[in-house]
Structures are given as structure tokens and as C-alpha cells.
Amino acid sequence: MSRVLLIGWDGAVWRILDPMLEAGLLPNLQALIDRGARGVLRSTVPNHSWSAWPSFLTGLNPANHGVYDIFERDFSTRKSLPVTYGSIREKTILSALTAAGAATVMTNVPLTFPPPRVEGKLVAGGVLPKWRPFTHPAPLAQELEKAGTPYPINGMSWTTFRNRPEPFLDEAMELTQDRIRANEHLLETTDWRFGCLVYVSTDRVQHCLAKHVSPDHPDFASLSREPVAERIRDVYRVLDDGLGQHLAGLDPDDLALFISDHGFQSCTRALHMDRVLEKLGFLRFAASGAVFGPMQWGPMRAAARKVYDALGLHGRVSLPQSVNWAKTVAYTSVRSTGEGISINLAGREPDGTVDPADHAATRDRVIEALAGFLDPRTGRSPFAAVRRREEVFHGRHVDTAPDIVLEPAPLYSLTHARSVIEDADWLSGDHRMEGVIAA
């Protein structure tokens, strides 16, 4: 009976892969393309992993599965806790596979924690709490350890390696190789029908080092020849080696798919969207901003993330948004990428300030102000588009969607900044719609 094996490279984009394919650095990916076809796989809006992978799991857009950000959207509280598998409000492919008795091997797909019960084996993906089981069945993690192929979780937190590319690439290489070995063991020792293996090295590397491998960066011509660029390409070579190993175990009737959840584009400028809203007169920061503000980006962000990871705080503590809600009209509601703005609506939001009767007019004022905002350095708008949510979202969970949807302009990121707008610092790439698919 034929099987399906899906390999995901998180954030992969042809713009970066094509030069490597042309140079012969990715022979296994090239062979897959030569046997079949390739194309562009458009992502979700917002185009980040926390929305896109649930769309993969459900076949639905965010307005129908309900996940718009890395944080839960709960109007009853201002607490900000990470999304989980339980945040997906529709049935997933895992439910269908299990109901059909189709044994599955799935590893590292974001938002598969807590690990759901499946027919087969699953290693949860995303940022995982160190203090809870992350596999199904629960003993699987120990079984992989005993087999000499442990599956390492977390790691490659690029923000903690600020301006230190060499140790970051060391960790990326080590974790990628370990995960390839663990995945091979799972495929070889499981009688599976559906396999899905996701690698996040591409996303992590491209966030901070895209300028060395992405031709759309203004400094690519010179940076692509630096020694660190060759080390980055080594990560892709290892991923391609792993792809070859995984595909070698397939039978002629099996289907192989290669995808990414979103694409990437280089960035030279970055915004802090709550700071933008403050500048435009729609948001006031709380006193706690003096403490939490410096943690948004820069050295303090790197230090705070190291502590967060070392203490295993993921899922245990709320990560507050330092806003004076009583004096705020609009705020960033898609905090992971800055792509969404919501009105602080009375009756919907705790401490809402905008009367529902004034919602449309208030939103129009915010949209007009954002559309007129220009980067003082370049004279350009940092937004390619500013849209109302009903222009983008249609579905059962549209009520929790952001009121305003932003699309960043080329070379801009809507996050990873300390001030209103500044030069990209350590950041050199961020998400875009155009991902990849080959089969």
C-alpha cells in the first residue's frame, strides 16, 4: 500500500534555494524536482508558523481554525500565554488518520503540543516546556535516547545568539544532524502510512543571516562571499543530505512532498508596532514598559530569552503587553510578526475604551494614520498594504481576528525593534507569503 512522506523546511523560499540548486549544492532536492514538479505555496495571513502549520493540519485558514498569533486570543483576560494544540478549534489531519487506523510518524510540527494521541509516533513541535512529556506515546523520548538517536527539543533561539553567528551555526548544525538521525530511526522502525518531518533550521538561520544567502538583500553580493556564508550553506547541505536519506527509504508508489509554511524576504529596517501606534496617538504605554520595554529587542531581549529558556518558563508565565489600557485606542494584536492591529473595544476587550458605535470610524482613523506613516530615513511607507479584517478573513472564528491587517513592504519587518523604526539589527530576514512546494 502506498505511503505519503512530507518533508517541511520551515520558511524555505526559492529565492534562497535557487542559487544553491544552480550551484549543485542540493542534489537531493534537485532530483525530487526533476522527477516531478515545483511551485510556490502561498502561506496564510498572518504568514507565520503559528497560523500556517494549523492551516496545514486542518486544511482551513486562520479564520476557521482560530489561531492568529503565538499568543492565545482570549478577550476575558489580558494574560498572554502561548498557543497549543488545544488552541486549534477544528479537527486536524491527525484525527482523521487515527480514525482511519493509518499509522503516522510526525515530528516537530509547530502546535502539536501537548502531543495528541495518534496511531503511530509523534514528537511535538514548537517551543516546548521542559517539564512535560513531548512525545506520543510518552515513553518514546526515552526509547529514542536508548536507541542512541535522541530527539533534541527547542534550541536555535536565534535572538539569544545576538551578533554571534558562529556559535549559532554550531548549534543549528548539531541539532539538525541529531534530528535527521532521530527521524531516520523513526521511519525505519515504524510501519507507517503517513510521515511528516519538519525542520526549522531554515527559518532560524534566515531570520538573522538571510543577508548572506538571499539575493534580495542589498549587501548580498559582498556578504555571500564571506566565510560565514559558506557555513550557512553547509546547514542547507546537511538538510539536503537528510532529505536524500528520508527519500531513499520510499517505494516507487510512495508520494514525497517538500513544502514550507511561509517564505522569507530580506529586511534592512524594522518597526515596533506599539511604538508606531504610540507615535500616532493611539496607544499609551504603562509604567511597566520601563522594565519590559528594553526586553523587546537588543541585548536585553537576548538575555531575557536565555533566562526564559534556561528556567523552562514557556507555558508557565504570561508575557505581558506593557500598555496603559485605559488610555489606549488601538494596539498590536499579532505580536509575533506585527501584522495585526486591534481596536480596544469596550464590551469586547477588558478595559476597552472605544464605544462599539465608534468602532468603524475609529478603525478608519487608525488605517488612515498608518497609511500615511512614512519611514523618515527612506521616505517610503513600511506597509505594502493596510486592510480591514473583513477584506481578508471569512470564517467561524473571524470574531477573534485583528481589526486591521498589515502587510510589510519589501525590506521591512514589523517587529524586532526597540524604537518606532530603526535599522535592522541582527535581524536580516522575516516572513513573507511565498513558500515552496515540490513533489
Side-chain angles (χ1 to χ4, degrees):
M1 192 174 292
S2 61
R3 301 173 297 177
V4 174
L5 178 63
L6 185 147
I7 309 295
W9 289 5
D10 197 293
V13 61
W14 294 122
R15 183 188 299 108
I16 291 175
L17 297 180
D18 277 341
M20 299 186 202
L21 288 165
E22 292 165 8
L25 303 182
L26 308 176
N28 295 299
L29 177 55
Q30 186 65 63
L32 177 63
I33 294 168
D34 290 344
R35 290 194 299 270
R38 59 173 265 179
V40 171
L41 183 62
R42 287 182 63 81
S43 186
T44 55
V45 178
N47 50 76
H48 55 69
S49 297
W50 314 108
S51 291
W53 285 112
S55 287
F56 160 73
L57 289 169
T58 62
L60 300 169
N61 64 39
N64 280 304
H65 63 59
V67 182
Y68 295 96
D69 195 17
I70 191 173
F71 296 112
E72 288 278 7
R73 184 77 162 133
D74 182 356
F75 288 125
S76 68
T77 177
R78 291 291 186 191
K79 289 183 178 179
S80 297
L81 292 170
V83 288
T84 68
Y85 186 72
S87 305
I88 304 172
R89 301 183 192 175
E90 294 294 335
K91 290 184 178 180
T92 70
I93 189 174
L94 291 170
S95 302
L97 290 165
T98 298
T104 297
V105 169
M106 180 175 283
T107 67
N108 207 33
V109 175
L111 260 75
T112 50
F113 180 89
R117 297 180 62 85
V118 297
E119 182 75 21
K121 299 173 183 178
L122 183 144
V123 179
V127 182
L128 304 179
K130 297 179 178 180
W131 41 281
R132 292 177 61 183
F134 61 91
T135 62
H136 177 82
L140 177 60
Q142 288 71 39
E143 292 170 10
L144 290 170
E145 290 270 2
K146 290 178 181 177
T149 57
Y151 197 101
I153 62 170
N154 299 331
M156 284 186 283
S157 179
W158 63 279
T159 59
T160 67
F161 287 91
R162 178 179 170 77
N163 297 324
R164 296 185 299 125
E166 296 290 349
F168 168 70
L169 289 168
D170 287 342
E171 180 167 292
M173 186 72 78
E174 180 182 358
L175 290 178
T176 301
Q177 291 171 329
D178 287 347
R179 289 173 181 176
I180 289 170
R181 283 191 287 267
N183 283 335
E184 269 299 287
H185 177 80
L186 288 168
L187 292 176
E188 291 171 357
T189 58
T190 307
D191 185 16
W192 56 275
R193 292 281 313 284
F194 178 74
C196 178
L197 317 174
V198 172
Y199 293 92
V200 298
S201 324
T202 35
D203 176 271
R204 307 303 188 262
V205 167
Q206 290 164 190
H207 266 301
C208 55
L209 299 170
K211 59 187 177 183
H212 296 275
V213 292
S214 187
D216 65 327
H217 195 281
D219 299 327
F220 168 76
S222 59
L223 295 177
S224 62
R225 296 193 293 268
E226 291 189 351
V228 71
E230 194 61 24
R231 290 213 56 203
I232 296 165
R233 288 188 283 268
D234 285 342
V235 175
Y236 290 83
R237 288 187 183 99
V238 167
L239 284 164
D240 186 74
D241 288 344
L243 177 65
Q245 293 175 49
H246 301 332
L247 297 182
L250 297 183
D251 297 325
D253 291 337
D254 293 339
L255 172 64
L257 291 163
F258 170 78
I259 71 165
S260 65
D261 56 330
H262 54 75
F264 249 81
Q265 185 166 297
S266 293
C267 297
T268 59
R269 299 282 281 167
L271 286 74
H272 185 313
M273 284 309 305
D274 274 348
R275 292 286 179 197
V276 173
L277 292 170
E278 179 191 38
K279 181 177 179 62
L280 297 175
F282 298 112
L283 181 145
R284 289 281 295 275
F285 282 96
S288 60
V291 176
F292 293 108
M295 296 183 187
Q296 297 302 304
W297 194 243
M300 283 293 290
R301 166 67 178 268
R305 182 57 190 261
K306 286 179 183 177
V307 172
Y308 183 83
D309 291 343
L311 297 180
L313 298 179
H314 188 76
R316 286 183 166 179
V317 296
S318 173
L319 299 175
Q321 197 165 359
S322 299
V323 171
N324 182 338
W325 298 107
K327 297 182 178 181
T328 288
V329 170
Y331 64 97
T332 307
S333 55
V334 178
R335 292 166 62 187
S336 52
T337 57
E339 292 174 84
I341 304 294
S342 288
I343 304 302
N344 190 24
L345 192 64
R348 180 181 73 179
E349 317 258 355
D351 308 312
T353 59
V354 177
D355 189 294
D358 298 327
H359 176 266
T362 301
R363 183 174 64 170
D364 287 345
R365 284 197 298 117
V366 177
I367 289 174
E368 182 179 5
L370 290 169
F373 177 75
L374 299 178
D375 180 350
R377 172 76 62 82
T378 66
R380 296 170 48 207
S381 171
F383 310 116
V386 182
R387 299 185 178 97
R388 294 167 180 80
R389 77 174 179 189
E390 57 269 26
E391 298 174 48
V392 179
F393 299 115
H394 306 277
R396 291 181 290 278
H397 305 294
V398 72
D399 57 313
T400 55
D403 292 308
I404 300 168
V405 183
L406 305 175
E407 178 186 343
L411 299 180
Y412 283 88
S413 170
L414 304 184
T415 184
H416 307 305
R418 285 169 290 185
S419 61
V420 174
I421 188 165
E422 60 193 41
D423 286 337
D425 173 18
W426 184 227
L427 169 80
S428 74
D430 216 343
H431 304 171
R432 292 299 183 269
M433 288 291 292
E434 295 79 16
V436 302
I437 184 168

